[in-house]
């Protein structure tokens, strides 16, 4: 029996509550399919700062590097809001992405039929939406240099650099086309090529890469139009491919389609086999210790781990189907609660999903 080593970075706030439920689910998968998951915890974010004065300590990076996959909860708490930028919890997120070379961020935005009414948008617009946003994660204006704030012409001047090497564009485009081949074979590349040079290069390299995937239909869209189209007609999209900052903004926007941030998982992949999985929501420090947050985003992130890191498609589908069954049976955490449904806690939601996994036939 192979043992898979998973680095468990619960982080701050409600991070531990949601990763605990994902671990519960992975343990039920190992029970059912006779696989072995070994979890090694380490600190990241504010809790790491408290102990080491560093939100991303070396021992956390070392553990992540020697593991088969990383499961992360969330980082951040108000009590760290006044720390200098270099040691803020968010810095740990950017740091681990760069250290592990996690350049490909996959953010699915799926509207579950049971939750269609939760979206602030009309059900007829959002129903059946199934978009995969593929966001470049280690380049762009997030990491570009030169950057800074300095005195210029007798006033302060702040600047960052939006930049991409063609190799960075090519490798993320490859990921998008490969993922599209497993889906509806459509890629919409989002840029601002009418204004930005870096976007013109982006568009050229994506086009060039698309020639290797003749079955995939490639379209291009300016980011402002994409922001509008995502809420006007989300079903037109299959895979959206975009850079770091446009992807940051559009993935938050797309999350609204599904009604709750508490439902959305993510995967961040590298060139090597190492990958990191995390919910896209934050640490919700105000809800910490109350056993009320929705663990589904983290449970679905664990499902993505099985699919993308361990090639366990059947086990992945088991988790997704169990989540769907649990929603169909009317179980809801407070963020997705509607009249007539059964309100459950974080741990009860995990238990229901676990029971469904054990009940579903192999
Ligand atoms: C995200 C977050 C991060 C980002 C922040 C917390 C640094 O918004 O993962 O989308 O901007 O990438
Ligand atoms: Mg974001």
């Amino acid at each position: 029996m192979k043992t898979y080593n998973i680095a468990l970075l619960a982080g701050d706030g409600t991070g531990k509550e949601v990763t605990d439920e994902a671990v519960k689910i992975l343990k039920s998968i190992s029970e059912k399919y006779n696989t072995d998951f070994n979890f090694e915890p380490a600190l990241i974010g504010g809790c790491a700062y408290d102990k080491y004065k560093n939100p991303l300590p070396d021992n956390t990076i070392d553990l992540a590097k020697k593991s088969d996959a990383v499961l992360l909860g969330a980082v951040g708490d108000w009590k760290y809001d006044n720390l200098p930028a270099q040691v803020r919890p968010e810095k740990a997120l950017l740091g681990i992405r760069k250290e592990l070379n996690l350049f490909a961020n996959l953010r699915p935005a799926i509207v579950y039929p049971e939750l269609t009414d939760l979206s602030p948008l009309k059900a007829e617009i959002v129903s059946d939406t199934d978009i995969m946003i593929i966001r470049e994660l280690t380049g762009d204006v997030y990491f570009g240099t030169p950057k800074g704030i300095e005195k210029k012409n007798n006033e302060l001047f702040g600047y960052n650099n939006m930049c991409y090497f063609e190799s960075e564009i090519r490798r993320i485009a490859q990921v998008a086309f490969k993922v599209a081949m497993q889906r509806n074979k459509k890629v919409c590349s989002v840029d601002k090529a009418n204004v930005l040079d870096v976007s013109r290069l982006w568009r050229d390299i994506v086009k060039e890469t698309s020639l290797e995937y003749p079955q995939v239909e490639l379209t291009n869209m300016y980011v402002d139009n994409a922001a509008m189209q995502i809420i006007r007609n989300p079903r037109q999209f299959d895979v959206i491919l975009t850079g770091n900052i446009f992807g940051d903004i559009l993935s938050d926007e797309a999350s609204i389609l599904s009604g709750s941030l508490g439902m959305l998982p993510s995967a961040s992949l590298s060139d090597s086999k190492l990958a990191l999985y995390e919910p896209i929501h934050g640490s919700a420090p105000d809800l910490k210790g109350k056993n009320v947050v929705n663990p589904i985003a983290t449970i679905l992130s664990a499902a993505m781990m099985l699919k993308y890191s361990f090639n366990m498609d059947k086990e992945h589908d088991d988790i997704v189907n169990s989540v769907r069954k649990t929603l169909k049976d009317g179980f809801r955490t407070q963020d997705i609660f509607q009249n007539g449904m059964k309100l459950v806690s974080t741990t009860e939601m995990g238990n229901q999903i676990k029971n469904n996994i054990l009940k579903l036939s192999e």
Side-chain angles (χ1 to χ4, degrees), residues 46-291:
C47 57
Y49 175 81
D50 285 340
K51 181 150 181 202
Y52 301 108
K53 294 281 164 281
N54 177 358
L56 184 60
D58 288 346
N59 57 17
T60 298
I61 295 172
D62 292 345
L63 174 75
K65 282 187 175 160
K66 65 177 207 277
S67 65
D68 295 308
V70 181
L71 183 67
L72 191 138
V75 299
D77 197 328
W78 301 306
K79 68 180 202 205
Y80 308 109
D81 278 358
N82 295 324
L83 287 178
Q86 280 313 312
V87 288
R88 297 255 315 232
E90 293 80 2
K91 192 75 188 169
L93 268 189
L94 299 182
I96 199 166
R97 289 171 183 171
K98 201 69 177 170
E99 280 288 337
L100 305 184
N101 195 21
L102 304 169
F103 68 89
N105 186 218
L106 277 51
R107 297 190 167 184
I110 297 174
V111 177
Y112 291 93
E114 296 77 14
L115 302 181
T116 308
D117 290 338
L118 281 181
S119 174
L121 298 172
K122 292 195 191 90
E124 71 218 49
I125 290 183
V126 298
S127 62
D128 298 323
T129 293
D130 182 348
I131 306 176
M132 177 66 92
I133 298 186
I134 301 200
R135 165 189 178 194
E136 200 290 329
L137 203 59
T138 51
D140 203 348
V141 67
Y142 270 61
F143 294 95
T145 51
K147 65 179 184 110
I149 303 173
E150 61 189 46
K151 210 59 182 266
K152 200 170 167 173
N153 301 339
N154 283 327
E155 57 175 333
L156 287 172
F157 172 67
Y159 54 98
N160 287 87
N161 187 8
M162 186 180 241
C163 53
Y164 270 118
F165 282 101
E166 59 171 302
S167 55
E168 293 176 301
I169 304 170
R170 198 166 281 120
R171 67 180 181 175
I172 190 73
Q174 286 283 357
V175 173
F177 286 108
K178 286 200 177 104
V179 170
M181 284 298 286
Q182 311 293 325
R183 294 172 48 101
N184 291 330
K185 301 194 173 61
K186 280 167 49 178
V187 170
C188 177
S189 172
V190 172
D191 60 38
K192 189 70 185 172
N194 51 346
V195 178
L196 303 173
D197 297 286
V198 56
S199 280
R200 280 200 286 279
L201 178 66
W202 177 278
R203 200 173 268 221
D204 288 348
I205 301 296
V206 171
K207 172 110 187 68
E208 201 181 290
T209 312
S210 75
L211 302 178
E212 292 171 44
Y213 300 88
Q215 289 146 286
V216 179
E217 175 198 305
L218 169 67
T219 53
N220 298 286
M221 203 179 267
Y222 298 136
V223 62
D224 47 352
N225 186 25
M228 182 176 73
Q229 295 297 336
I230 283 174
I231 48 172
R232 201 182 74 93
N233 176 15
R235 278 191 299 269
Q236 72 185 286
F237 296 108
D238 177 24
V239 171
I240 292 179
L241 161 64
T242 192
N244 204 345
I245 193 149
F246 297 155
D248 178 45
I249 298 165
L250 295 181
S251 60
D252 261 30
E253 187 194 11
S255 76
I256 283 302
L257 302 170
S258 80
S260 172
L261 272 177
M263 295 294 299
L264 297 175
S266 79
S268 302
L269 314 178
S270 67
D271 269 333
S272 73
K273 67 176 182 48
L274 188 55
L276 178 147
Y277 301 85
E278 59 175 324
I280 81 161
H281 61 69
S283 57
D286 49 329
L287 302 176
K288 183 179 174 175
K290 297 189 173 150
N291 197 17

